[in-house]
Amino acid sequence: MTGAQIIFIVVALYTLGSALMVVTTRNLIHAALWLVSTLFGVAVTYALMNANFIAVVQVVVYIGAIAILFIFAVMLTRKDMRDSGPQMNKNWWLGALVAVLVFAGLAFMLSGWSGFSKVAADLPSGFDSVSLLGEALVSPQAYVLPFEVASVLLLAALVGAVYVAFNRK
Amino acid sequence: MSEWIYVALFIAVGLIIPIGAIAAGFILGPKKPNPIKEATYECGVEPVGEAWIQFKPQYYIFALVFLVFDVEAVFLFPWAVKLGQLGLYAVVEGIIFVSILIIGLVYTWRKGMLEWL
């Protein structure tokens, strides 16, 4: 096993363990913090795959904003975040069965694909995804229109979210 | 890949320093507990009520506005990295991108949602 594979297995186990804690912990705030830990594990996985920009976006958007929004939503809506009820209902085995079946089905489907056992080609040296993306985002031949439309979409999201969330008296 | 080693090192040091500080205090400090020492430390003031309280819903608006500008920063990051090599048109496109979102900021501001009630 190479060093990268060992790191991947450690990170994958850490991510899985955190994800398990998200659904099993009794305290909602602790669940949100475990979610931050899980998302961080995913970011490390992206970094291992040389997807540097996606890894940074994962940290900035998912941990920096989405998880904080979760924690805010919990803190603002409930006085007591400790849950007293059981964490599982009687259908837990059905959920586990469906999860195993979906995993087996996906693994079976993907094993038929020719790229399944191929090793990815090395990136050319000096490959910089961020500056390539920056160039593509503003180039008229590439994504300049989607780039500006994204701004309009964000504006609509901001106005809509604030309108819905604001408590008019 | 190798540049991430520095990030990993930074995270490791960032974990070791607080853990070390707390562990050193735990190992070296004398332990003579009394009820006043055991109380939760709250900036030197005596703690009032429970720690689990409901926060003001207004924080949520700030979080929402922050989320939108966070995503904007993600879009602007690759643009800013490449800005030095790109021409004037890239600067203009970036300004258009930001000014569209400024409308949203002005909207929330004019609606009085950035005022602390």
Side-chain angles (χ1 to χ4, degrees):
Chain A
M1 252 197 306
T2 64
Q5 276 169 325
I6 294 169
I7 296 173
F8 171 74
I9 287 170
V10 170
V11 170
L13 285 176
Y14 162 78
T15 311
L16 263 179
S18 299
L20 213 63
M21 287 305 289
V22 175
V23 288
T24 53
T25 185
R26 285 179 174 277
N27 191 315
L28 265 178
I29 285 286
H30 291 173
L33 292 175
W34 278 112
L35 182 68
V36 169
S37 162
T38 311
L39 293 171
F40 183 76
V42 175
V44 176
T45 315
Y46 285 141
L48 284 173
M49 289 191 289
N50 268 322
N52 295 356
F53 182 63
I54 304 287
V56 172
V57 169
Q58 175 81 11
V59 171
V60 169
V61 174
Y62 280 86
I63 298 178
I66 309 260
I68 299 303
L69 215 59
F70 278 3
I71 293 174
F72 268 32
V74 173
M75 286 189 352
L76 301 177
T77 51
R78 297 184 61 175
K79 196 168 164 22
D80 195 352
M81 298 91 168
R82 285 157 293 187
D83 244 334
S84 50
Q87 297 301 101
M88 305 259 191
N89 65 13
K90 60 184 190 322
N91 288 331
W92 69 269
W93 63 273
L94 211 64
L97 187 70
V98 169
V100 169
L101 280 179
V102 167
F103 178 76
L106 279 175
F108 176 72
M109 288 281 289
L110 283 172
S111 66
W113 174 49
S114 63
F116 186 67
S117 53
K118 257 188 216 150
V119 178
D122 275 338
L123 288 173
S125 65
F127 181 83
D128 186 1
S129 57
V130 177
S131 58
L132 282 177
L133 187 64
E135 216 169 309
L137 273 182
V138 289
S139 149
Q141 285 88 38
Y143 303 109
V144 67
L145 198 62
F147 178 63
E148 303 296 355
V149 170
S151 177
V152 178
L153 180 70
L154 284 173
L155 173 67
L158 175 60
V159 172
V162 165
Y163 184 79
V164 171
F166 191 55
N167 184 20
R168 282 171 304 278
K169 300 204 170 67
Chain B
M1 212 24 237
S2 56
E3 63 263 44
W4 286 102
I5 288 169
Y6 298 108
V7 178
L9 219 65
F10 187 80
I11 292 169
V13 171
L15 283 174
I16 286 167
I17 290 175
I19 290 171
I22 292 167
F26 185 76
I27 294 163
L28 299 173
K31 290 176 197 69
K32 291 177 205 131
N34 66 40
I36 295 169
K37 278 189 192 169
E38 297 274 278
T40 311
Y41 182 74
E42 203 177 286
C43 308
V45 186
E46 271 187 48
V48 179
E50 264 209 278
W52 298 106
I53 54 160
Q54 192 172 344
F55 286 80
K56 281 184 85 163
Q58 218 198 340
Y59 283 112
Y60 200 69
I61 306 245
F62 290 100
L64 282 173
V65 176
F66 166 70
L67 177 65
V68 169
F69 285 98
D70 204 35
V71 177
E72 180 198 9
V74 164
F75 274 103
L76 285 180
F77 178 62
W79 169 80
V81 165
K82 203 65 188 156
L83 195 60
Q85 286 101 299
L86 293 167
L88 184 67
Y89 76 99
V91 180
V92 174
E93 279 161 11
I95 289 170
I96 295 171
F97 185 85
V98 175
S99 28
I100 292 171
L101 274 160
I102 294 266
I103 300 170
L105 187 62
V106 170
Y107 171 80
T108 44
W109 194 355
R110 289 298 299 276
K111 283 271 168 181
M113 288 165 206
L114 299 182
E115 311 275 323
W116 191 253
L117 299 172

